[in-house]
Amino acid sequence: MTEIDETELPGIGIRREFTTRGGKRLGVIANRTGKHDLLLYDSDDPDMCSTVVPLDERDTDVLAELLGATSGVSDAASTLINLEGIAIDWVGIDAGSEFAGKTIGEAEIRSRTGASIAAVLHRGDSVPDPGPDTVLTAGAQVVAVGTPGAVEQLAELLGA
């Protein structure tokens, strides 16, 4: 089985790399924002990244489909973290969500889902430990914490 090297990048995400059978070094950075960067390493110096291709969510989905992402690798690379019944995930707020533009209190996130919002990230700004008056802006990401089921409910609630 191919060895995948994984490196936590604090505040950014996770970098995963591997060497192809042909000797090429490739990597992906899964950013906490949900975006990904495809890394192509120099053939002469496999420790030097020669090209970084930024991918938005749509680009990532298209590339995964082109590559036939039906193996367990895509599941293992998920940003969802499950620690003995505790899940942490970065959930996007869709523009079509009925809760976009409402406060956390108005949306009644905790009572509806059982999940908590630990932070709100939007356009490079972060609001750690947001209160009930924090507005859920379309395009923002929330850091959701709770049981896996509660976090999934929150993702459905904030989706379009």
Side-chain angles (χ1 to χ4, degrees):
M1 182 168 176
T2 301
E3 182 177 330
I4 298 173
D5 298 318
E6 186 173 293
T7 306
E8 180 73 29
L9 304 173
I12 297 170
I14 298 174
R15 179 181 60 218
R16 294 180 179 92
E17 303 168 315
F18 76 103
T19 302
T20 67
R21 286 186 181 180
K24 302 283 185 184
R25 188 95 176 136
L26 301 175
V28 172
I29 296 176
N31 294 282
R32 296 291 186 212
T33 61
K35 294 184 179 179
H36 291 80
D37 295 312
L38 179 61
L39 310 173
L40 308 173
Y41 289 89
D42 188 294
S43 295
D44 296 327
D45 184 358
D47 292 328
M48 183 174 188
C49 185
S50 62
T51 305
V52 176
V53 180
L55 304 170
D56 64 17
E57 189 174 336
R58 182 181 172 279
D59 297 333
T60 302
D61 290 343
V62 170
L63 181 58
E65 186 175 325
L66 290 174
L67 293 172
T70 56
S71 71
V73 174
S74 61
D75 292 337
S78 169
T79 58
L80 181 65
I81 301 167
N82 188 357
L83 305 169
E84 295 184 35
I86 299 172
I88 303 170
D89 202 0
W90 285 252
V91 176
I93 302 170
D94 291 345
S97 170
E98 67 178 284
F99 299 101
K102 291 188 177 182
T103 66
I104 292 173
E106 290 171 332
E108 300 177 319
I109 297 295
R110 179 102 170 116
S111 59
R112 285 177 187 249
T113 67
S116 296
I117 295 178
V120 178
L121 313 168
H122 189 62
R123 295 186 180 160
D125 293 326
S126 63
V127 178
D129 194 24
D133 294 336
T134 302
V135 176
L136 300 170
T137 307
Q141 297 267 326
V142 300
V143 179
V145 181
T147 65
V151 170
E152 286 178 25
Q153 281 185 314
L154 177 60
E156 290 173 14
L157 190 70
L158 296 180

